Amino acid sequence: MPLRPPRAILFDLDGTLADTAPDLAAAANYLRQQRGLENAPYESLRPVASAGARGLIGAALGIHPGDAEYEDLRVLFLDRYQANMTTHSSLFDGIPALLAQLEARGIAWGIVTNKAARFTDVLAPQIGLGHAGCIVSGDTTPHPKPHPAPLLEAAKRLGLPPEDCWYVGDDLRDIQAGRAANMPTIAAAWGYCGHTEPAAWQADALLHAPLDILNLLD
């Protein structure tokens, strides 16, 4: 069934608006270098980039939350990433044109990410996203995605009911959060997508390029 036309479109950040995996993978490989290990292949790290420190430390070193070394590694990873997070990150092809089209059509747009504000507040303006209608980070509300709280906060900041917003993301938890917030959801198959198939997420739409969103609007 056709999606209800939105008054706003909300986007995940990593893997949806911005290709941040190169800098995230570099921070993970820094941890390996500190242990005298060779870099892990980028192809093994990219799919988990949306999972942040947890996913990347797990993929790079096989160390997970609850393991004795994890917290120290997490702090080192985040500090290294913060110092280098705009080295190779950029917007995906088609994103600048998409956002310009949304603005031309009077459709608001915003960012809802699990990335902490210490990163988001610096990264967004440096890669061309500083004019978002709202930015809700992973620590803006008490609960990150897949809890609906961040999406509900974004809709509130835009002055819109949740059902008038679409949410676009490249991870299963994005779709889960959107459903829980009563927002139509779009799976961004151009992103990182973890180790599951976006077609199985039960999103309202599955798209393979950012500008395909315009076809849904039309």
Side-chain angles (χ1 to χ4, degrees):
M1 293 179 63
L3 292 176
R4 174 179 173 176
R7 296 170 64 189
I9 299 182
L10 300 171
F11 297 90
D12 176 48
L13 179 57
D14 300 271
T16 301
L17 288 174
D19 187 8
T20 55
D23 292 324
L24 288 161
N29 273 324
Y30 174 76
L31 301 183
R32 289 182 59 86
Q33 294 160 14
Q34 295 302 106
R35 293 175 170 231
L37 302 172
E38 294 184 357
N39 285 352
Y42 175 69
E43 294 75 18
S44 71
L45 299 176
R46 184 184 188 276
V48 298
S50 287
R54 171 179 50 82
L56 285 155
I57 294 171
L61 294 172
I63 295 173
H64 305 280
D67 292 342
E69 300 173 275
Y70 177 79
E71 187 56 29
D72 287 342
L73 287 169
R74 185 186 73 85
V75 171
L76 183 59
F77 171 86
L78 293 177
D79 287 346
R80 179 70 177 186
Y81 175 63
Q82 186 171 24
N84 300 277
M85 64 182 171
T86 59
T87 303
H88 300 293
S89 294
S90 61
L91 300 181
F92 281 108
D93 289 344
I95 290 296
L98 170 62
L99 299 180
Q101 275 292 310
L102 295 182
E103 291 166 4
R105 297 176 186 215
I107 298 173
W109 66 274
I111 299 169
V112 182
T113 174
N114 275 2
K115 207 180 198 77
R118 70 184 262 208
F119 309 109
T120 309
D121 291 347
V122 175
L123 179 64
Q126 290 196 25
I127 60 173
L129 298 173
H131 58 304
C134 68
I135 298 178
V136 176
S137 300
D139 49 0
T140 300
T141 67
H143 305 285
K145 298 174 295 180
H147 196 282
L151 291 176
L152 296 174
E153 175 64 21
K156 179 181 176 182
R157 292 186 180 193
L158 294 175
L160 296 173
E163 58 268 24
D164 283 350
C165 306
W166 291 357
Y167 188 51
V168 185
D170 72 310
D171 193 90
L172 173 59
R173 67 186 171 197
D174 296 324
I175 306 309
Q176 294 170 330
R179 284 203 300 266
N182 197 31
M183 290 183 186
T185 57
I186 297 171
W190 65 84
Y192 306 141
C193 300
H195 296 297
T196 61
E197 282 297 324
W201 297 350
Q202 298 183 325
D204 294 295
L206 171 63
L207 301 181
H208 294 275
L211 289 173
D212 290 346
I213 293 173
L214 298 178
N215 295 331
L216 286 183
L217 296 173
D218 294 336

